[in-house]
Amino acid sequence: MSSFWRSAVALWREVRSALLLLALSVFAAISVFGALRWREVDAENVEIAALRVGRDISVAGDEGPELVLARIEFLGTRGEIDSARILVDALDRPGREALAAKGRYALGNALLRRAFELIERAELDGAGPFVNLSKREYRRAMQLAPYYWDAKFNFDVATRLIRDYPGFEQKHGDELEVEPKKLWTDVPGVPKGLP
């Protein structure tokens, strides 16, 4: 055996235990990290399941995006639109487009449900802004996820409730001009002219 191979075998005998110890330490660190992460994900899944069955759990905007989305859906079904809107804005981050689209869709559904409640109570003037806000949220959802069929369908429903008129768009500033009260509405089923 040549001197090169003898020195290589001697070197291997000296460093073998140190390399094995290093490999064992790296494996243990990875295992501990994986176990902690699994525990966090499991706890998050329990909270998501609780929100889906109707149990109220407080969620901050900086928690896991799936948990934030579940909270938005929970708030939307209960009509807490302002609270849901704050969390939807927390989802608007790069890499979360699909979840942000689902959040915008859930918020749009909450707004449209509110509009339908007002229409059922014959408060037609109050329903219009909620329909327009729901259309805006559906548009944002479709911008984030262009092939989101549910958002397209609900946008179409909201558009059929109240038509978009280019003359009603706000041109500048934050204040809206006061318009004279309309005698007729754009909601279907209400006459548009004289009998």
Side-chain angles (χ1 to χ4, degrees):
M1 197 158 42
S2 71
S3 64
F4 172 75
W5 290 111
R6 279 189 216 136
S7 60
V9 168
L11 179 63
W12 171 249
R13 287 181 184 152
E14 290 177 20
V15 297
R16 175 177 51 187
S17 60
L19 288 176
L20 289 175
L21 184 62
L22 178 65
L24 182 62
S25 300
V26 168
F27 178 73
I30 290 171
S31 299
V32 168
F33 176 76
L36 291 174
R37 182 67 186 130
W38 176 80
R39 196 169 168 199
E40 289 174 8
V41 169
D42 188 48
E44 188 174 292
N45 286 339
V46 167
E47 291 177 336
I48 290 171
L51 284 167
R52 291 204 172 136
V53 296
R55 206 171 77 222
D56 191 8
I57 295 175
S58 179
V59 174
D62 60 348
E63 295 191 36
E66 291 85 5
L67 181 59
V68 172
L69 177 62
R71 177 71 176 165
I72 291 167
E73 292 170 346
F74 173 84
L75 292 170
T77 57
R78 280 151 183 77
E80 298 180 33
I81 295 170
D82 293 331
S83 300
R85 183 174 287 130
I86 293 169
L87 291 175
V88 166
D89 292 337
L91 279 180
D92 283 338
R93 291 197 171 69
R96 295 184 184 172
E97 287 82 11
L99 290 173
K102 289 180 181 180
R104 296 281 177 193
Y105 171 74
L107 181 59
N109 287 345
L111 290 162
L112 196 56
R113 271 193 297 277
R114 177 77 54 89
F116 281 131
E117 291 169 5
L118 293 170
I119 290 170
E120 288 173 0
R121 292 191 308 232
E123 297 177 20
L124 302 177
D125 290 337
F130 286 104
V131 172
N132 289 329
L133 288 172
S134 71
K135 289 192 297 188
R136 184 181 71 183
E137 294 304 325
Y138 293 137
R139 271 191 201 107
R140 287 183 181 171
M142 290 185 295
Q143 287 170 347
L144 293 168
Y147 298 105
Y148 196 2
W149 171 253
D150 293 338
K152 289 180 181 184
F153 182 83
N154 287 6
F155 177 75
D156 187 48
V157 169
T159 301
R160 290 173 191 259
L161 279 175
I162 295 181
R163 286 173 257 132
D164 288 328
Y165 292 107
F168 292 150
E169 292 179 8
Q170 188 174 349
K171 302 292 187 244
H172 54 281
D174 289 337
E175 296 181 14
L176 295 173
E177 294 179 17
V178 177
E179 297 179 21
K181 186 167 176 133
K182 295 180 189 174
L183 296 176
W184 305 107
T185 181
D186 289 333
V187 179
V190 179
K192 295 200 180 281
L194 296 173

